[in-house]
Amino acid sequence: MTKRSTFVAAVLALLVAFAGPQAFAQQPAGKSGIERMYVLYCGDIALDNASEFTPGATGPGALSVTCYLIKHRDGWLLFDTGLGDQIAAMPNGFKSQVGLWTVKRTLTSELAELGLKPSDITYLVLSHSHPDHVGNLGLFSGSTLVVQKAEYDWKLPDGKPRFDPAQKVITAEGDYDVFHDDSVVLISTPGHSPGHQNMLVRLPKTGAILLTGDSVHTKANWDGHKVPSRNFNVPQSLASLDRMAAVLKENNAQLWIGHETSEVPLRKYSPAYYE
Ligand SMILES: [Zn+2]
């Protein structure tokens, strides 16, 4: 131990003695185990009708699809899996009920660029189980799934489970601190689906960021306090918007809306990263 590190250790010991370890748990700056966060491109959606996701909008629209990858000292964490990589091989994209899905770059290739295989992902966190968020779920059968219990228990219309019962899973009931250091906290925001969740990330240098999933699809919805009528439970969705506003305020956090196309040019995409 150098003189300087001995000094730092002594100061830390004093601080812990006065403040107690609990105070440190609530003081994430400098303590977060996150080393980096990558923003991954996970597809594009061209909507026939923008109003299906943004009430009041007219004409066609577009949604970006975004995934996020976190390097934490205790493992790699992926938030959402986007549209399926197989769509990249479809010359005309995939026509879904709401529009056209295209994939210009596969998630697998983006991970490979970072020297990773899907099996390197320790935790797979899903905002929810809609197809544009679980398109590559099958690649991560070796990861520990982290979803809300309400989402996990929500059956498909044919009565089948949404997830492979053989996959290792953590089913959260409400907010959940993934690495137990306050660096990645799942925020329960039901309504869009029964067990929808956001992810609050506390980056050591960039600060706190709230990643939305589909509790908000577009900035217009956030600004206008609106949600699509197609949501599973509209009043619950609106209450979740209020919860998000409180979380943003409490944590002085930025809101990053993964489906908002106007935010795409604002982000550094992988292999660049945020610290
Ligand atoms: Zn959705």
Side-chain angles (χ1 to χ4, degrees):
M1 223 185 217
T2 63
K3 256 187 185 167
R4 190 180 140 71
S5 60
T6 311
F7 174 75
V8 169
V11 169
L12 279 175
L14 266 177
L15 283 171
V16 171
F18 279 105
Q22 275 311 311
F24 276 82
Q26 285 152 21
Q27 198 57 245
K31 185 190 175 288
S32 167
I34 299 180
E35 294 168 20
R36 297 168 174 192
M37 181 172 84
Y38 296 90
V39 179
L40 304 177
Y41 162 89
C42 272
D44 293 291
I45 299 176
L47 298 171
D48 302 332
N49 247 315
S51 65
E52 287 201 60
F53 291 91
T54 304
T58 52
L63 299 174
S64 49
V65 184
T66 318
C67 306
Y68 305 88
L69 176 68
I70 287 171
K71 184 176 194 291
H72 187 280
R73 62 175 170 238
D74 292 338
W76 288 94
L77 180 153
L78 179 68
F79 181 61
D80 282 346
T81 71
L83 308 183
D85 279 0
Q86 70 279 7
I87 295 172
M90 300 178 184
N92 301 315
F94 171 76
K95 189 88 183 83
S96 81
Q97 281 179 349
V98 294
L100 183 68
W101 295 7
T102 50
V103 173
K104 290 192 291 247
R105 268 188 98 196
T106 62
L107 178 57
T108 310
S109 71
E110 290 178 85
L111 292 175
E113 188 181 31
L114 300 173
L116 296 170
K117 302 179 296 297
S119 59
D120 291 321
I121 304 301
T122 317
Y123 294 108
L124 176 65
V125 177
L126 296 174
S127 60
H128 66 303
S129 58
H130 283 160
D132 56 322
H133 295 258
V134 300
N136 290 308
L137 177 59
L139 295 175
F140 302 97
S141 56
S143 309
T144 297
L145 189 64
V146 191
V147 291
Q148 290 289 319
K149 185 172 187 300
E151 196 77 6
Y152 194 82
D153 292 345
W154 185 34
K155 297 285 190 289
L156 287 165
D158 63 6
K160 293 198 176 116
R162 285 168 191 264
F163 301 98
D164 178 359
Q167 183 160 8
K168 203 171 153 195
V169 64
I170 294 171
T171 49
E173 295 182 64
D175 297 354
Y176 182 76
D177 179 356
V178 180
F179 293 105
H180 310 294
D181 64 354
D182 273 343
S183 63
V184 178
V185 182
L186 307 180
I187 307 291
S188 170
T189 49
H192 175 69
S193 68
H196 189 280
Q197 58 187 354
N198 291 8
M199 193 163 91
L200 178 68
V201 182
R202 292 188 173 109
L203 290 164
K205 293 185 185 165
T206 311
I209 302 170
L210 186 64
L211 305 173
T212 54
D214 282 2
S215 50
V216 177
H217 288 86
T218 60
K219 187 168 185 305
N221 285 1
W222 176 254
D223 292 344
H225 204 264
K226 290 176 193 166
V227 297
S229 57
R230 56 167 48 231
N231 274 8
F232 181 76
N233 182 324
V234 168
Q236 206 178 34
S237 304
L238 293 170
S240 285
L241 293 183
D242 295 337
R243 173 83 209 285
M244 291 169 69
V247 169
L248 289 172
K249 200 169 168 214
E250 275 162 31
N251 294 279
N252 192 24
Q254 303 176 47
L255 179 69
W256 286 13
I257 304 173
H259 277 314
E260 172 58 57
T261 53
S262 73
E263 291 191 5
V264 171
L266 307 179
R267 304 283 170 252
K268 290 188 284 192
Y269 277 75
S270 180
Y273 53 83
Y274 292 86
E275 291 180 291

